[in-house]
């Protein structure tokens, strides 16, 4: 009897081992044939759908960046009108296009559509029209590296946004980060290479793990358009201001040294700086960067499908995919982890919200001082303080995820900015008193986006009407022309 029991157990074990062996061999066979190329990727292929023929899993996951359902404490993957939520921003950006239109960013799949829809670019009705340079397309499309390669970098920067309406039709995708021949991560935007050179660094020596952040740093950074580079006059040349370092003070000093301003504020007359989205810079100041965690580790975690492990190209908030992102390193309840992140964001938002209201009031108080006859000499220090305070505030809020990436640095910047704007307002109070004005300066309605846009002289209904004409007549033609151009490209199949 015992022999029969032993025989049956042995038979079951052998059967299970055989099944396991078969499964392993089957998975190995699947892995060997999973990435057999179907087509040749020739030159700079802008169409993600063509890449998807060779890399279907990555492509299918990328398509999910069109999803807009995620909602976090301060961010969303869908539409959210930041000016309506925080109307005082209209005053902070008066005279600058962000006062017209500023929404929460959507996923990469929406990059081209969101540029078209934005009031910030105006409504150019033909090539060469509009105020925005072609440089504004730089981080929005896989067509950009193609154009730079075809016509030259400086030549690309020398056009208008509307000149490339039918050329830039593919949103952010594969060719932005990958070499088509080797699939290695690669830098396709020269501004990042040039920024490293300015710091005395060689980006070509970056490790693979570093590259998993640097491909993101091509776009998720602070930048400005330099129109005064010798030999490149007339081009809105894209530059990252990292020559003196990546902190908010380093870049502030850089801008002050070259006397750069994004615009002059029409209310206070201060020379202003607009922070773009210094995500990489702030990430580098946080604990995750110090421990070697890359952007892709959290925003593009590995996943398994059909026995294959690959990078999930559904790029988005790690909080939408905690199990695959955060739980690789952290061991705690999901609710506890998310609650911890939200707590940081809430506390920092509390400080930044109070700060932006103070800055808005300072702009209006400065206008009153000018009205009462203040001189440039009397206003010089005040305007510098306003410039520096708003720059630090903007640096802390323009970065996606700053409160998580580097909460201590973000809090420090908000504290520093609050100190500077309070000093500016104190100086203004004294200056106004010297002009026999000893009362509170009248303020507009800070609770209404519409009221504040009228206050600074914007005619938003008119701009929206012009935008509808542009969207109905011009954009469809750009897309038709672009697709007609692409239809002439041949796709070479691999035998």
């Amino acid at each position: 009897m015992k022999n029969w029991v032993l025989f049956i157990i042995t038979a079951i074990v052998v059967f299970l081992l055989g099944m396991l062996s078969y499964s392993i061999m089957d998975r190995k066979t699947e892995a060997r044939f999973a990435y057999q190329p179907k087509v040749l990727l020739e030159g700079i292929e802008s169409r993600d759908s063509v890449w998807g023929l060779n890399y279907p899993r990555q492509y299918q996951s990328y398509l999910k960046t069109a999803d807009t359902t995620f909602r976090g404490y301060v961010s969303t993957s869908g539409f959210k009108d930041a000016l309506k939520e925080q109307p005082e921003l209209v005053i902070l950006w008066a005279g600058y296009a962000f006062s017209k239109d500023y929404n929460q960013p959507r996923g990469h799949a929406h990059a081209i559509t969101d540029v078209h829809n934005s009031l910030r670019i105006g409504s150019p009705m033909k090539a060469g029209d509009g105020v925005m340079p072609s440089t504004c397309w730089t981080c929005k499309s896989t067509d950009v590296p193609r154009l730079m390669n075809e016509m030259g970098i400086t030549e690309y920067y020398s056009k208008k946004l509307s000149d490339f309406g039918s050329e830039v039709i593919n949103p952010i995708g594969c060719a932005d980060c990958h070499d088509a021949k080797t699939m290695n991560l690669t830098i396709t935007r020269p501004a990042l290479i040039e920024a490293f050179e300015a710091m005395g660094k060689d980006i070509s020596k970056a490790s693979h793990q570093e590259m998993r952040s640097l491909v993101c740093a091509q776009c998720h950074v602070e930048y400005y358009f330099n129109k005064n580079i010798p030999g490149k006059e007339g081009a809105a040349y894209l530059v990252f201001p990292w020559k003196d370092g990546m902190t908010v003070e380093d870049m502030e000093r850089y801008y002050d040294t070259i006397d750069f301003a994004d615009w002059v504020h029409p209310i206070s007359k201060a020379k202003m700086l607009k922070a773009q989205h210094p995500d990489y810079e702030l990430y580098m100041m946080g604990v995750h960067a110090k421990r070697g965690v890359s952007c892709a580790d959290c925003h593009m975690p590995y996943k398994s499908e059909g026995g294959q492990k690959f990078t999930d190209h559904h790029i988005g908030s790690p909080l939408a995919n905690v199990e695959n992102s955060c739980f690789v390193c952290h061991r705690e309840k999901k609710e506890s982890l998310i609650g911890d992140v939200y707590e940081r964001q809430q506390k920092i938002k509390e400080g930044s919200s109070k700060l932006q209201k103070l800055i808005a009031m300072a702009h209006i108080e400065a206008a009153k001082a000018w009205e009462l006859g203040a001189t440039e000499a009397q206003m010089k220090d005040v305007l510098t303080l306003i410039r520096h305070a708003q720059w630090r505030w903007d640096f802390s809020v323009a970065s996606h995820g700053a409160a998580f990436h580097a909460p201590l640095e973000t809090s420090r910047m908000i504290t520093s900015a609050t100190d500077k704007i309070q000093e500016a307002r104190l100086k203004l109070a004294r200056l106004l008193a010297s002009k026999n004005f000893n009362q509170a300066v009248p303020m507009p309605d800070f609770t209404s986006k519409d009221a504040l846009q009228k206050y600074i002289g914007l005619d938003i209904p008119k701009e929206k009407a012009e935008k509808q004409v542009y969207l109905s007549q011009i954009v469809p033609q750009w897309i038709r022309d672009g697709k007609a151009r692409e239809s002439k490209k041949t796709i070479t199949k691999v035998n």
Side-chain angles (χ1 to χ4, degrees), residues 54-92:
N54 288 351
Y55 306 99
R57 287 186 171 91
Q58 288 85 345
Y59 176 60
Q60 289 299 319
S61 66
Y62 163 79
L63 292 178
K64 293 180 181 178
T65 63
D67 179 77
T68 59
T69 58
F70 173 76
R71 294 292 184 275
Y73 179 73
V74 295
S75 63
T76 172
S77 62
F79 179 85
K80 190 176 182 182
D81 187 342
L83 296 183
K84 185 175 182 180
E85 185 182 70
Q86 305 167 79
E88 61 269 18
L89 300 184
V90 173
I91 299 297
L92 271 61

Side-chain angles (χ1 to χ4, degrees), residues 454-485:
K454 290 179 182 178
Y455 178 81
I456 66 172
L458 290 177
D459 188 345
I460 296 299
K462 178 175 179 291
E463 298 212 17
K464 286 184 175 179
E466 293 171 350
K467 176 63 69 173
Q468 288 306 310
V469 175
Y470 158 80
L471 290 174
S472 63
Q473 297 182 12
I474 304 303
V475 171
Q477 187 60 52
W478 281 352
I479 295 172
R480 283 194 294 269
D481 291 346
K483 290 190 177 299
R485 168 179 51 78

Side-chain angles (χ1 to χ4, degrees), residues 400-417:
H400 311 319
F404 172 78
H405 289 149
L408 292 179
E409 176 63 11
T410 305
S411 295
R412 185 192 69 83
M413 288 189 293
I414 291 173
T415 300
S416 173

